[in-house]
Amino acid sequence: QPQQKDYDDLCSLPDLNEKTLLENLRNRFKQEKIYTYVGSILIVINPFKFLPIYNPKYVKMYDNHQLGKLEPHIYAVADVAYHAMLQQRKNQCIVISGESGSGKTQSTNFLIHHLTA
């Protein structure tokens, strides 16, 4: 069976329904792509293992980039909020939501890591 194209933004799916959404997330997860956008919202699927996508190379890569220009990443969300705060001179908020054990604390740590870098 040929590998289906995966979409890094679910809004780009040609046919958006529950089945195609879940298939896309599953295909991306199998490729260790744990981040997927829905517009400006970031979906994270906890891999329950460390992935090598949180090093200084990634911090630098996502510095001052527009959301959606690079592969989805929590650093992109942190960077967009940071630059919006600087440009608009207004506080910004990032909402992190999920079930118990879904990785909210770890996601918060990654956000803080990027912001302090």
Side-chain angles (χ1 to χ4, degrees):
Q1 188 173 9
Q3 180 71 16
Q4 291 181 330
K5 179 181 183 328
D6 73 82
Y7 295 86
D8 62 2
D9 188 337
L10 295 177
C11 292
S12 301
L13 280 170
D15 183 23
L16 180 58
N17 58 53
E18 183 179 359
K19 182 178 185 245
T20 58
L21 182 145
L22 292 174
E23 284 175 356
N24 188 69
L25 291 173
R26 186 178 301 110
N27 288 339
R28 290 181 59 76
F29 183 77
K30 286 178 183 176
Q31 300 171 60
E32 295 190 335
K33 296 178 180 179
I34 62 168
Y35 295 115
T36 306
Y37 289 125
V38 181
S40 63
I41 297 169
L42 183 68
I43 294 176
V44 184
I45 300 176
N46 190 345
F48 295 102
K49 66 179 180 178
F50 182 79
L51 297 176
I53 57 173
Y54 304 106
N55 57 46
K57 173 186 141 187
Y58 282 85
V59 171
K60 190 175 191 96
M61 186 169 48
Y62 284 91
D63 183 35
N64 206 15
H65 275 85
Q66 200 174 19
L67 207 62
K69 293 293 182 185
L70 298 172
E71 189 72 22
H73 199 289
I74 197 142
Y75 288 172
V77 173
D79 196 68
V80 166
Y82 175 73
H83 286 285
M85 179 185 69
L86 293 178
Q87 290 173 349
Q88 299 171 12
R89 296 181 181 264
K90 291 184 180 177
N91 293 337
Q92 299 294 306
C93 176
I94 299 172
V95 176
I96 299 175
S97 174
E99 299 287 329
S100 176
S102 63
K104 297 180 299 296
T105 301
Q106 192 63 45
S107 291
T108 302
N109 290 337
F110 291 139
L111 283 166
I112 292 169
H113 173 74
H114 185 77
L115 291 171
T116 56

